[in-house]
Amino acid sequence: MSDFLMPSLGADMDSGRLVEWKVQPGDRVSKGQVIASVETAKAVMDVEVFEDGVVEALYVTEDTDVDVGTPLARIGDGSGMGQAASGGGAEYGPKPEPATPTAPEAAQTEPDRVPPEPASPPASDKRSAGERVPASPAARRKAREEGIPLSQLRGSGPDGAIVLRDLQGTQPTSPKTRPTAGFDPAQMRAAIAAAMSRSKREIPHYYLATTVDLHAAEQWLADYNEHEPPENRLLLSALFMKATALALARYSELNGHYGEDGFVAATQVNLGMAVHLRGGGLVAPAIMDADTLTLPELMHQLRDLVRRARGGGLRLSEMTGGTATVTALGDRGVDTVYGVIYPPQVAMIGIGRARRQPLAVEDGIAVRLAVDLSLAADHRVCDGHLGALFLNEIEQLLQQPEAL
Amino acid sequence: MNRDELRKAVLEELTGIAPDIDLASFDDNANLQDEYDLDSMDALTLAERVHKRLGVNIPDQDYARMHCIAELLDYLEKRV
């Protein structure tokens, strides 16, 4: 039996708001399962549990601000059901009996709960642990984005649950231009300010850059994309990410976290990608084990990550698990971008605008597609010599795109 | 499908990607990247949505030559 604590939310974020429980006491959970949604200044993120077990108690109610490290729930083998909370905070409603196969009481009462009573849960309600309106996660997210109370909707899903189609035709109460779920520009700016101030205060950055010939990559990509429909096409970004991930796997001094005990190299490459949010702001979720993915797999994950970064649904593990990050401002027309390292990481790789320019090729000059790659790295961990080898490794990998 | 209907469909898909774009003042001839801040991923997503909605699979080479909605509509008008 153990308490599940509010996990770290990323650099310089000390608390988050628990906005939704996705489990109830008595639910069996397995490692990696999403059990709650937490909102920070940067995003609403899905929080995963780290162990297998049974949810014995929820200590915190929805829409509560919670500091990092605060017990959120008790996970055990089920024998602790009904015991008093061992952690801080009040129990989340009355303790239900352990579920038995012959007593599907909650399930039977569920259809009667639609449309549900608004707010103020009666203390004696059997479903008080699940007092929230039954709804699919997608519907819940959309309702929250559009500011529509679920209690005002009639569910058409299983057991009367509200599903996405029930939200169609409803009037959002917030302006249409609202950029993304749980994202307040002023708070976002404050979160970026805190993380970047810490970075520049603590990390002695060194910077390197090099121009890379993309002729081979461009040709290979054009051939690959020629007969593919848009949904299967690759972007140059996928090639950059893969080459970077492979190089990070080789140069472990650039891949890991710098903590209180100094640098610890990571055993896997979780490559973060800075995603610009329309309306201002930035998040840097990571693609796990990026070095082991094929290009189509990596591209699929890139699309998915960008979509979720802008529309909601990032996982906390993606937001805090990055071991190095790539920033690509290139599309917006700068030749070179020098990054600011995202603590506790130790390297930020910058990708500029791919553009045609004269390059020396063998004995002549050719006009080639080329890009400036840069590296900002932590001088406490490695020196420029290693950084140069690393950038050259990426360059070499991009000369053989078929091998990526 | 006439051009107005095409335009409506394409702009709906565009605002699905970039909800902050104000359609009331939308300029069909403005560069999508420079004026509306669409990056390469957004542009690819637009091609994907157009393919799904209108059934037109624009080859990568053709798509790379389009920079504004007017050019995209010219292309689609001949194929829808």
Side-chain angles (χ1 to χ4, degrees):
Chain A
M1 187 184 88
S2 63
D3 282 341
F4 178 78
L5 309 180
M6 181 72 147
S8 166
L9 300 167
D12 289 280
M13 282 195 266
D14 302 326
S15 69
R17 172 171 285 251
L18 192 134
V19 290
E20 181 186 353
W21 278 115
K22 295 179 190 286
V23 293
Q24 298 174 21
D27 284 358
R28 182 162 288 283
V29 293
S30 51
K31 189 180 175 208
Q33 183 177 337
V34 173
I35 63 165
S37 287
V38 169
E39 180 176 0
T40 70
K42 285 203 153 190
V44 175
M45 295 177 286
D46 292 337
V47 177
E48 303 136 280
V49 70
F50 305 124
E51 59 187 325
D52 297 336
V54 173
V55 179
E56 294 183 344
L58 303 179
Y59 299 144
V60 174
T61 54
E62 290 181 349
D63 288 319
T64 307
D65 289 319
V66 186
D67 289 341
V68 170
T70 305
L72 295 177
R74 189 171 64 233
I75 311 288
D77 58 9
S79 61
M81 295 289 299
Q83 287 178 15
S86 62
E91 280 263 24
Y92 188 77
K95 302 155 211 81
E97 295 300 310
T100 62
T102 52
E105 211 167 358
Q108 281 172 2
T109 60
E110 204 156 346
D112 303 335
R113 299 191 50 75
V114 177
E117 300 292 324
S120 63
S124 60
D125 195 313
K126 283 197 184 74
R127 272 182 56 85
S128 62
E131 177 55 31
R132 63 179 199 186
V133 180
S136 74
R140 196 173 292 279
R141 180 176 299 133
K142 186 158 170 63
R144 191 159 55 228
E145 278 170 23
E146 302 201 340
I148 302 163
L150 286 173
S151 55
Q152 291 179 6
L153 299 170
R154 178 174 289 271
S156 65
D159 292 332
I162 291 161
V163 292
L164 213 45
R165 65 172 173 268
D166 299 324
L167 280 139
Q168 280 163 3
T170 54
Q171 286 302 312
T173 53
S174 57
K176 255 203 271 186
T177 50
R178 195 170 162 213
T180 188
F183 158 32
D184 169 343
Q187 275 190 39
M188 168 70 82
R189 187 49 41 202
I192 294 171
M196 294 300 98
S197 300
R198 177 180 155 200
S199 174
K200 285 284 184 168
R201 193 168 56 237
E202 294 178 3
I203 304 176
H205 290 60
Y206 72 81
Y207 302 97
L208 308 172
T210 193
T211 301
V212 174
D213 184 347
L214 293 177
H215 183 68
E218 182 187 27
Q219 300 279 315
W220 181 88
L221 196 63
D223 285 347
Y224 183 93
N225 284 342
E226 192 180 354
H227 301 294
E228 294 288 347
E231 52 273 26
N232 293 343
R233 285 177 203 158
L234 302 177
L235 291 173
L236 266 177
S237 322
L239 275 65
F240 293 144
M241 295 286 282
K242 183 69 192 288
T244 301
L246 288 172
L248 284 167
R250 179 162 173 193
Y251 292 94
S252 56
E253 294 92 337
L254 297 168
N255 185 56
H257 288 171
Y258 195 101
E260 281 176 11
D261 301 322
F263 177 68
V264 178
T267 52
Q268 56 187 132
V269 179
N270 299 335
L271 189 54
M273 178 182 53
V275 179
H276 155 81
L277 301 177
R278 301 188 68 90
L282 195 62
V283 290
I287 294 178
M288 304 296 161
D289 295 305
D291 57 323
T292 66
L293 302 176
T294 65
L295 282 174
E297 287 168 348
L298 190 61
M299 184 67 201
H300 176 77
Q301 295 215 13
L302 271 175
R303 288 169 185 266
D304 183 49
L305 217 53
V306 171
R307 187 176 53 75
R308 287 187 291 121
R310 294 182 179 161
L314 289 173
R315 289 184 163 214
L316 188 54
S317 57
E318 294 172 324
M319 292 293 283
T320 56
T323 55
T325 297
V326 167
T327 180
L329 280 181
D331 282 338
R332 294 186 173 75
V334 289
D335 290 348
T336 316
V337 49
Y338 293 101
V340 179
I341 297 168
Y342 185 46
Q345 297 171 20
V346 298
M348 172 75 80
I349 296 89
I351 296 167
R353 171 175 54 144
R355 65 204 186 276
R356 298 203 184 277
Q357 59 173 297
L359 287 184
V361 176
E362 293 176 1
D363 284 344
I365 290 177
V367 174
R368 289 264 175 102
L369 190 71
V371 71
D372 284 3
L373 294 185
S374 76
L375 170 71
D378 188 334
H379 223 326
R380 294 173 300 183
V381 181
C382 68
D383 303 322
H385 176 73
L386 182 124
L389 292 174
F390 168 77
L391 281 185
N392 282 307
E393 172 83 9
I394 299 178
E395 176 177 16
Q396 289 306 312
L397 288 163
L398 286 170
Q399 303 316 308
Q400 295 174 301
E402 67 283 356
L404 285 175
Chain B
M1 206 179 235
N2 64 35
R3 191 173 175 104
D4 283 347
E5 290 164 343
L6 261 184
R7 181 176 187 273
K8 187 168 174 288
V10 167
L11 289 184
E12 270 177 28
E13 296 307 325
L14 180 65
T15 49
I17 299 165
D20 52 307
I21 289 179
D22 178 12
L23 291 184
S25 61
F26 190 82
D27 179 357
D28 287 12
N29 293 301
N31 186 299
L32 286 172
Q33 181 181 308
D34 297 341
E35 286 299 317
Y36 294 111
D37 205 18
L38 251 61
D39 62 18
S40 54
M41 181 72 85
D42 296 329
L44 184 57
T45 306
L46 182 61
E48 191 181 330
R49 284 172 168 244
V50 164
H51 185 205
K52 201 170 177 183
R53 174 137 179 193
L54 302 170
V56 181
N57 175 8
I58 310 172
D60 202 34
Q61 282 195 321
D62 292 345
Y63 195 59
R65 282 193 284 269
M66 299 173 201
H67 304 289
C68 63
I69 287 296
E71 289 168 352
L72 177 58
L73 293 177
D74 290 344
Y75 186 95
L76 291 172
E77 228 177 353
K78 295 176 201 137
R79 288 165 178 85
V80 171

